[in-house]
Amino acid sequence: MKKDKKCHNKYRFKHYQEAFNFAKEYMEQVAMTFYPMVPYWCKRHDLWHIGHDSFKKQEYNVDRILSDRNGENVL
């Protein structure tokens, strides 16, 4: 049985827009993440937290092919 994560160490926001802006700034600062950071409602505390949306995989697009120093394509 999966145990719920405790909320006492998580950021707390009274308003959705505050949580949304924080999550957006986080995504702009972190180079790569597997799942996007999003706000979600916590009914236990009646406020917003942010967390990774494990149902929506983060995708990255590369405009060019990267190669290593030997000329081999990496991406």
Side-chain angles (χ1 to χ4, degrees):
M1 179 175 189
K2 186 177 177 183
K3 216 176 183 183
D4 289 338
K5 291 183 179 180
K6 295 186 179 179
C7 298
H8 67 274
N9 290 332
K10 295 184 180 180
Y11 289 105
R12 297 173 182 216
F13 304 92
K14 288 183 180 183
H15 304 285
Y16 172 82
Q17 194 62 44
E18 291 174 313
F20 176 82
N21 290 341
F22 192 94
K24 183 179 174 187
E25 287 177 23
Y26 173 91
M27 291 300 294
E28 290 171 358
Q29 292 177 8
V30 174
M32 291 186 86
T33 180
F34 290 110
Y35 303 102
M37 185 67 72
V38 294
Y40 66 93
W41 181 252
C42 176
K43 59 185 174 184
R44 177 186 292 169
H45 296 111
D46 289 328
L47 49 72
W48 294 92
H49 291 303
I50 60 168
H52 290 97
D53 184 353
S54 59
F55 296 103
K56 183 177 182 185
K57 189 145 178 122
Q58 184 70 28
E59 294 187 21
Y60 296 96
N61 293 324
V62 178
D63 294 302
R64 60 192 167 108
I65 296 176
L66 302 176
S67 62
D68 64 10
R69 293 183 182 192
N70 296 325
E72 296 291 322
N73 290 343
V74 178
L75 292 174

